[in-house]
Amino acid sequence: MRLIFRLLRTLVLLLLVAIVGLFAWLYAAPPELIRVGSGYAAKIVCSNVFLAGRDPQQVLEVDVQAPGHPLLKLMRVSVDRDEKVVRAGLLGFLGESVAVARGGLGCANVPDGDLARASAAQLPDMPMPSPPPDAAWPEGERVEPATAEVAAVLADDNLAGEGLRAIVVVRDGRIAGERYGEGFSADTPLLGWSMSKTVNAAIIGTLLRDGRMSLEKGRLLPGWEADGRAAITLADLMAMSSGLEFNEDYGDVTDVTRMLYLEPDMAGFAGAKPLAAPVGEVFSYSSGTAVLLSRLWQEALGDAGEALQWPRRALFSPLGMDSAVIEADESGTFVGSSYIYATARDWARLGQFLLQGGVWSGEQILPPGFVSWMREPAPASDGVYGRGQVWLEVPGGNGSRMGVPADTFWLKGHDGQTVAVIPSQRMVVVRMGLTPKKLGYGPELLVSALVAALNPPGGQE
């Protein structure tokens, strides 16, 4: 009997030593998957707390843990509101990641722990002009009640989709109806995810207008001059046809998750990728490409301070997009692939701007014909993607079979973010939410129902 007790005690001690050793290993050298998870948790909580004014625990539970990888359910966060720092880790301390909020630039992950460097980038306050009192949207924020037909479509939960946060419908330049999910309002900044790519393309348009960039320019980065990457042009990057290697799969440690949550210099990481296909011949959707575009347009301005102010000065302020913030990484490069927060009404302003061909209040902000060029099918995309970072068909969708007008083009982001721009109907439809792909929701039926509601039988189009 004593021998049995000794054996059991030995086994328990060995088990305790193994557990302690495992935790020591996870603390000292956490696997990259844990660091990606903690980086994601820290970044999402940071942005939603300091940009959107939401409760950190609610963001952790609803935005991070509920829809994501099982590992995320074990993440814990702490928020230092004075220092504007969020820390996240498995069980609160394993594989810790840090994100910091900077004035005017949103939040950045700090994967190398250099908070001083990450905090150094700050955007000076740039007061936005006040809209006229009681001015109607888009000049102001006044919105008229929706018609009964539009209200009925907006009230349909099946059309709105699970996890709805906002719908805004625009017809003839005015909001024709809107709906907000519980806990969200017209004042809540919402993450556009990959809809940011289209905004990034519009920013490039402002530099093309001024002659500071050229679509046909090659030899874009110093490290590319000695190999086949020298042939990559700005137009190739815009059309997602650069040929650069980049794995866009989410849910594990891949190029896109490594770039967003483990790399302090995202553009440096993406720019170091080799060619995986002939330049201009293969369509490959890549967030790395979009971050490279951000680096290129920032460098084209020649001054880091001017570059940080450019999105607001050249685009957001003229359009009255007061809420819009494009976030920069630790190195100061804007994450034009993924990280723009704006209210649903401001996303609608962006859609209306594209509908108007890049003109706002009589000012030609984008080069004439640029939006039409953006909508031209990228040669390698089989007709689904435009030359200028827009979708011509919702990925995996069947818009034409669901009654969506054929000329519709889309901004599309992760977890159910879409802006549909419909020139033939003089319409823009914004739909935002937390709606993971596994739910099978698509916005096409919502859009076609709204088109029908605004074109009742016997009415005027």
Side-chain angles (χ1 to χ4, degrees), residues 109-460:
N109 282 104
V110 192
D112 60 3
D114 192 346
L115 273 170
R117 180 195 185 202
S119 301
Q122 301 280 340
L123 191 61
D125 287 336
M126 295 178 61
M128 301 283 278
S130 299
D134 298 323
W137 186 96
E139 296 82 10
E141 296 298 329
R142 180 170 57 81
V143 173
E144 299 297 332
T147 65
E149 293 83 359
V150 170
V153 173
L154 295 177
D156 188 320
D157 290 337
N158 290 324
L159 293 175
E162 187 174 333
L164 170 75
R165 293 188 170 176
I167 300 173
V168 177
V169 188
V170 178
R171 177 67 174 264
D172 292 327
R174 299 297 184 194
I175 290 179
E178 57 186 354
R179 174 184 172 183
Y180 294 93
E182 184 178 354
F184 298 87
S185 73
D187 298 322
T188 308
L190 298 168
L191 176 58
W193 285 112
S194 285
M195 297 201 302
S196 307
K197 293 177 171 69
T198 311
V199 182
N200 208 34
I203 293 171
I204 288 172
T206 66
L207 276 80
L208 293 170
R209 175 202 62 199
D210 294 344
R212 302 198 195 196
M213 299 185 81
S214 167
L215 288 170
E216 302 310 316
K217 184 179 186 298
R219 300 183 178 276
L220 297 172
L221 294 175
W224 292 2
E225 294 177 351
D227 57 43
R229 294 175 297 178
I232 299 172
T233 65
L234 187 68
D236 292 321
L237 292 171
M238 294 276 275
M240 296 291 185
S241 305
S242 68
L244 291 172
E245 175 185 282
F246 199 84
N247 185 333
E248 188 73 13
D249 292 336
Y250 288 82
D252 208 332
V253 183
T254 62
D255 288 336
V256 67
T257 55
R258 178 185 297 277
M259 181 185 78
L260 291 175
Y261 305 113
L262 300 181
E263 295 291 336
D265 179 4
M266 297 188 195
F269 172 78
K273 290 291 180 181
L275 285 177
V279 176
E281 295 184 18
V282 177
F283 175 75
S284 181
Y285 186 80
S286 163
S287 290
T289 291
V291 174
L292 283 174
L293 288 169
S294 293
R295 171 66 59 81
L296 289 169
W297 71 251
Q298 287 181 253
E299 290 182 347
L301 285 163
D303 179 85
E306 183 183 8
L308 290 179
Q309 296 183 52
W310 190 259
R312 180 158 294 277
R313 178 179 297 162
L315 190 65
F316 298 153
S317 183
L319 270 59
M321 294 178 63
D322 299 12
S323 70
V325 173
I326 177 170
E327 298 181 302
D329 70 4
E330 181 183 333
S331 75
T333 299
F334 285 117
V335 189
S337 64
S338 315
Y339 289 156
I340 294 180
Y341 280 79
T343 64
R345 288 183 180 179
D346 277 351
W347 281 110
R349 284 184 171 93
L350 191 280
Q352 183 66 26
F353 171 65
L354 296 176
L355 181 66
Q356 296 170 181
V359 175
W360 196 262
S361 297
E363 180 185 357
Q364 186 77 52
I365 293 174
L366 300 182
F370 183 72
V371 175
S372 295
W373 174 85
M374 290 172 70
R375 296 172 55 200
E376 291 178 11
S381 76
D382 198 25
V384 301
Y385 200 73
R387 291 183 183 271
Q389 307 270 286
V390 295
W391 288 96
L392 307 180
E393 185 77 71
V394 172
N398 295 296
S400 59
R401 290 199 290 259
M402 295 182 180
V404 175
D407 64 339
T408 304
F409 63 100
W410 303 79
L411 289 68
K412 195 265 182 184
H414 181 59
D415 278 350
Q417 322 315 317
T418 55
V419 176
V421 183
I422 316 170
S424 62
Q425 296 294 319
R426 309 178 307 282
M427 285 178 63
V428 173
V429 178
V430 176
R431 189 276 176 191
M432 307 191 76
L434 184 61
T435 311
K437 186 177 179 180
K438 64 184 178 182
L439 296 177
Y441 173 80
E444 296 96 326
L445 288 177
L446 170 67
V447 170
S448 61
L450 288 166
V451 169
L454 287 166
N455 293 286
Q460 291 185 345

Side-chain angles (χ1 to χ4, degrees), residues 40 44-45 48 54-68 72 165 184 190-191 193 341 415 433-434:
Y40 174 73
I44 294 298
V45 171
N48 276 278
R54 296 176 60 202
D55 176 74
Q57 191 60 34
Q58 182 200 45
V59 176
L60 177 66
E61 293 174 359
V62 175
D63 294 49
V64 176
Q65 294 177 333
L72 295 174
R165 293 188 170 176
F184 298 87
L190 298 168
L191 176 58
W193 285 112
Y341 280 79
D415 278 350
L434 184 61

